[in-house]
Amino acid sequence: MAVFLLLGKAAGALKEMAVAYRYGVSEVVDAYQFTMTLANWLPITIVGALSVVLIPVLVRSRDDDAALRRRFLAELHGWVLTLGLLLAALTYVAWPWVLDFAGAGLDSETRRMSSQLTLAFAPAALFTLLTGLSAARLRARERYINTLMDSVPAVVILVWVMLAFTAPDVGPLLWGTLIGYFVQSIWLLHLAARADGRVGAPRLGFSSEHWPELVKAAGVMLVGQVAMSFVGPIDQYTAANLGANANATLGYASRLLSLLLGLGAASVGRAALPVLADVQRRGDAERARKIALKWSMLMGVGGALVTLVGWWLAPWMVSLLFERGAFMAEDTQTVAQVLRWGLLQMPFYFGVLVLVQLLASQNRYRIMAGIAVANFLLKAGLNLVLAPVMGVHGIMLATSLMYALSYACYTAVALRRPAVSVTS
């Protein structure tokens, strides 16, 4: 998992270098960052909730009759395809209202480019849901090639941006995004079929005995995911009202931060859920709890070390990745300062990832949803207080404090031994 993440994040870093070289801190990047965050938030929210509840169900379904399991998967694909088409249409139709509300602080040229980018991000909603389902099937089989496939959109965008000969506009980003998401979804569908078996034509229905459990858990989990999913749009809305290029500055710092988060922690977090679910399936709940607590402590210590080193190296990292072409030295200093405030979240983010997987493997979705709602309320309140005083730095500090709350809550819950049969 860590090797695949390293390769995938390297591709993402190269893509960010190409975008910085061509566009710098400009209205194009403002439009791209704004559109990507708001258009992706609902599909990513659904994928996040579906993955957490679906992977344990897929692990338990290994004991099912092969024909019944194929029928369950065919119905899953049918409903995901239907929902994806509806989301794609909704994104395109509703975007003018999104710009009027969330993008009121953007200038007219940025709003125009954002409207153009929906031609890529609307169909990307469908591709994101299909990719998420295929990835869940692979992870349930403890196959992690989907992590490497996460880099496909970045690679395609990189190639399109570097080969474009037109004046700087959103065209290369638009086509790179559309084609990248499409290729990723088709490729992962093929890999999932090889690992988990072919399922035949998608169909609509609820014939499987797993549906009641899955729908109930997904409904509870979606509440928390929706709450947490608003963090990204709130940050974009807050940044859009701080002045020109605030979205671009926040975007560069966030993308560099995501590289560090992914390389260090996502590998353990993604790999933990199917393993912990399998331990729970074998009836050894106490062992799963001890494994998760031990790894959470180790990851928290590792995150603290990353914060210390990253704070010192922040200007160098930003300069290495972005400072070329239209991205100037003064932009490096601005982004590096924002990045430093974001690094404060590292110990808490690293530590909480495994604990999230533990509670998911125990089906404690109501507790997870409650913590997510508390995180969102704290984040929203801190953005209102800190952003007017500290600017973009305040947005990052608010995120760090949000993860501190999350870590404290998950640790308190994990330290309590659950009942033998946990249902919430």
Side-chain angles (χ1 to χ4, degrees):
M1 173 71 82
V3 171
F4 287 157
L5 271 170
L6 178 61
L7 294 173
K9 294 300 182 180
L14 290 174
K15 185 264 286 186
E16 297 303 334
M17 292 167 66
V19 172
Y21 173 79
R22 174 169 285 270
Y23 300 111
V25 179
S26 65
E27 290 81 2
V28 176
V29 181
D30 272 349
Y32 181 71
Q33 181 67 25
F34 176 86
T35 310
M36 178 176 62
T37 301
L38 270 70
N40 279 345
W41 80 265
L42 187 54
I44 290 177
T45 298
I46 294 172
V47 167
L50 183 64
S51 297
V52 170
V53 301
L54 180 57
I55 291 174
V57 171
L58 291 175
V59 170
R60 291 191 290 271
S61 72
R62 294 175 188 173
D63 301 325
D64 291 352
D65 177 77
L68 293 177
R69 191 171 189 281
R70 284 195 299 270
R71 185 182 182 90
F72 174 54
L73 290 174
E75 291 173 350
L76 267 176
H77 279 84
W79 286 113
V80 167
L81 184 63
T82 301
L83 180 59
L85 291 171
L86 291 174
L87 278 179
L90 178 63
T91 300
Y92 187 76
V93 171
W95 203 251
W97 287 276
V98 173
L99 285 173
D100 288 341
F101 175 71
L106 301 174
D107 59 58
S108 58
E109 182 64 12
T110 303
R111 289 161 60 91
R112 181 191 66 80
M113 290 186 287
S114 178
S115 295
Q116 287 183 323
L117 284 167
T118 58
L119 296 174
F121 282 105
L126 168 62
F127 303 144
T128 297
L129 293 188
L130 293 174
T131 295
L133 177 55
S134 298
R137 292 174 60 191
L138 286 164
R139 289 174 60 192
R141 291 286 179 176
E142 298 185 35
R143 309 282 180 85
Y144 302 113
I145 188 66
N146 66 285
T147 302
L148 181 60
M149 293 298 101
D150 286 346
S151 65
V152 170
V155 171
V156 176
I157 292 172
L158 166 66
V159 172
W160 218 281
V161 167
M162 294 308 295
L163 294 181
F165 293 102
T166 59
D169 61 16
V170 297
L173 294 172
L174 189 159
W175 287 107
T177 298
L178 179 61
I179 295 174
Y181 276 91
F182 173 75
V183 171
Q184 180 191 28
S185 65
I186 297 300
W187 202 339
L188 273 178
L189 183 62
H190 171 69
L191 293 174
R194 290 179 57 186
D196 201 27
R198 299 191 178 277
V199 299
R203 58 192 302 170
L204 298 179
F206 296 99
S207 63
S208 172
E209 63 180 10
H210 295 295
W211 276 113
E213 171 194 7
L214 181 60
V215 171
K216 180 181 178 181
V220 174
M221 194 63 197
L222 192 60
V223 173
Q225 287 294 121
V226 167
M228 285 299 295
S229 74
F230 276 109
V231 168
I234 283 177
D235 284 351
Q236 291 302 307
Y237 174 78
T238 305
N241 287 280
L242 290 177
N245 302 330
N247 282 93
T249 300
L250 178 66
Y252 280 121
S254 297
R255 290 195 288 275
L256 182 51
L257 191 62
S258 72
L259 295 178
L260 300 174
L261 292 171
L263 288 174
S267 55
V268 176
R270 291 188 183 187
L273 180 53
V275 173
L276 292 174
D278 193 46
V279 174
Q280 297 279 355
R281 183 173 68 97
R282 298 172 189 270
D284 200 349
E286 182 61 18
R287 181 177 173 228
R289 192 177 74 92
K290 290 180 178 179
I291 291 173
L293 286 170
K294 179 180 73 174
W295 274 99
S296 175
M297 181 181 66
L298 292 173
M299 295 298 290
V301 172
L305 293 175
V306 171
T307 298
L308 291 175
V309 176
W311 190 283
W312 178 49
L313 294 178
W316 176 82
M317 290 188 293
V318 175
S319 176
L320 177 66
L321 287 179
F322 302 134
E323 193 177 313
R324 56 187 55 83
F327 197 101
M328 304 299 182
E330 55 268 27
D331 300 324
T332 293
Q333 294 303 315
T334 301
V335 173
Q337 289 301 318
V338 175
L339 175 64
R340 282 172 167 163
W341 288 99
L343 286 169
L344 296 177
Q345 71 186 264
M346 285 284 185
F348 312 113
Y349 182 92
F350 278 34
V352 81
L353 276 177
V354 181
L355 299 180
V356 170
Q357 312 309 318
L358 173 66
L359 266 65
S361 71
Q362 296 172 338
N363 295 343
R364 302 171 83 175
Y365 301 121
R366 293 179 186 173
I367 295 174
M368 296 173 68
I371 295 174
V373 171
N375 289 341
F376 164 73
L377 293 176
L378 179 66
K379 169 65 174 173
L382 289 176
N383 265 25
L384 291 175
V385 173
L386 297 177
V389 178
M390 301 176 61
V392 182
H393 308 77
I395 297 175
M396 280 296 194
L397 178 58
T399 301
S400 299
L401 294 174
M402 177 192 73
Y403 279 114
L405 172 65
S406 180
Y407 180 70
C409 292
Y410 273 100
T411 300
V413 173
L415 287 172
R416 295 168 48 201
R417 289 178 173 84
V420 175
S421 177
V422 180
T423 58
S424 66

